[in-house]
Amino acid sequence: MLRVGLLPTCVVDSVAPQVGVAVVRVLRKMGHEVTIPKTATCCGQPAWNSGFAEESASVAKTTLEALENHKSDVIVVPAGSCATMIKVFWQELFEVVGDHDASHRAQRLAPRVREFSEFVASRGVMPGKYPHRVAYHHSCHMLRELGIKEQPEKILGGLDGCTRAEWLADERCCGFGGMFSIKQPEMSVAMADDKIESLKETQSEALIGCDQSCLMHLEGRLRRRGESIQVKHLAEVLEEAL
């Protein structure tokens, strides 16, 4: 059993709390003790991506202190983008604002931080039943920054009855990109619709992913287009399968 600290992320906490609940239930089912660092807030990614380094660092440092002081063996993050911000960009962020001490502390913290599917897959294949045909979306940060590709595929492949459809656009950006979807809405929608057209060809019952922001964006477009394909975070699939 490990002591797991869960950073729910802003999107999960505000928009999809059921995903956070699913993550806790799955981790507890695996036999781990799960607690949430109470003073942790945002990772600072929205401000960082918009060029507001000082504001981002102020928010990130609060979360850094919460995570490094939390009594846990590992910090699990159910979002590749937030995990990337913490593991990859925090060091750069703090260096940019001249906080070298925080940068070193972020470097020491990084090995303790694991994206959800990465952590689950590292503990072995989980038995479960999910008799559905699904398509998996490889989100940009997980794939290109963290190098996480096989882990979620391994998890889905280990569920009895689950068929993962081959999808030509599975590694293509969904078009969300945080502030990009606000600053460039026409392009963002076009990218999502292009991905959805490819998704429809798979005849999948559900679209699965590990970044709730991507899933929120794609589900929004699916519903506006009148499509009935379910959209679920991997944690929700595992909760149901177990």
Side-chain angles (χ1 to χ4, degrees):
M1 181 190 78
L2 294 177
R3 295 175 302 171
V4 177
L6 172 64
L7 180 64
T9 79
C10 298
V11 173
V12 167
D13 191 42
S14 302
V15 179
Q18 74 279 3
V19 172
V21 172
V23 170
V24 171
R25 287 176 175 169
V26 169
L27 293 176
R28 285 178 175 169
K29 187 73 173 180
M30 294 172 67
H32 303 303
E33 176 188 343
V34 184
T35 55
I36 298 175
K38 294 182 179 180
T39 56
T41 57
C42 179
C43 67
Q45 183 178 183
W48 171 244
N49 289 345
S50 299
F52 296 99
E54 292 286 349
E55 291 82 354
S56 175
S58 177
V59 173
K61 192 168 182 178
T62 298
T63 300
L64 168 63
E65 292 172 351
L67 298 184
E68 66 182 354
N69 293 325
H70 191 64
K71 290 180 172 58
S72 58
D73 302 303
V74 61
I75 302 294
V76 171
V77 186
S81 58
C82 298
T84 296
M85 184 65 190
I86 295 170
K87 291 175 67 68
V88 178
F89 294 115
W90 265 9
Q91 295 174 54
E92 179 183 351
L93 165 65
F94 291 124
E95 286 295 337
V96 166
V97 300
D99 193 338
H100 306 300
D101 175 66
S103 180
H104 291 314
R105 288 159 56 196
Q107 185 178 22
R108 289 195 298 269
L109 175 71
R112 284 177 58 204
V113 178
R114 308 288 294 277
E115 183 275 327
F116 173 74
S117 70
E118 175 192 23
F119 175 73
V120 172
S122 72
R123 312 304 293 180
V125 176
M126 298 181 66
K129 187 175 183 180
Y130 195 73
H132 301 286
R133 181 177 177 82
V134 305
Y136 181 79
H137 163 62
H138 288 284
S139 53
C140 294
H141 282 91
M142 280 181 63
L143 184 64
R144 297 174 176 84
E145 294 290 351
L146 299 179
I148 298 174
K149 180 178 181 180
E150 297 178 355
Q151 292 92 325
E153 295 178 344
K154 174 184 175 183
I155 292 170
L156 289 172
L159 299 178
D160 185 30
C162 183
T163 301
R164 188 171 60 84
E166 293 297 327
W167 185 19
L168 293 176
D170 63 349
E171 297 182 11
R172 196 177 301 167
C173 180
C174 71
F176 179 65
M179 296 303 294
F180 173 79
S181 62
I182 297 175
K183 295 177 179 179
Q184 301 287 344
E186 295 85 0
M187 190 178 299
S188 175
V189 167
M191 292 171 71
D193 285 351
D194 178 67
K195 195 172 179 83
I196 289 171
E197 285 300 320
S198 178
L199 172 64
K200 289 169 60 178
E201 295 176 3
T202 69
Q203 298 183 325
S204 298
E205 300 172 63
L207 171 63
I208 312 301
C210 289
D211 261 292
Q212 190 58 41
S213 55
C214 300
L215 297 177
M216 175 181 67
H217 183 58
L218 290 169
E219 184 171 25
R221 288 306 301 159
L222 283 165
R223 299 300 169 257
R224 282 181 177 270
R225 291 163 54 106
E227 305 289 349
S228 59
I229 299 173
Q230 296 184 57
V231 179
K232 294 188 176 184
H233 191 283
L234 181 63
E236 294 178 284
V237 171
L238 282 174
E239 179 190 24
E240 183 177 335
L242 297 173

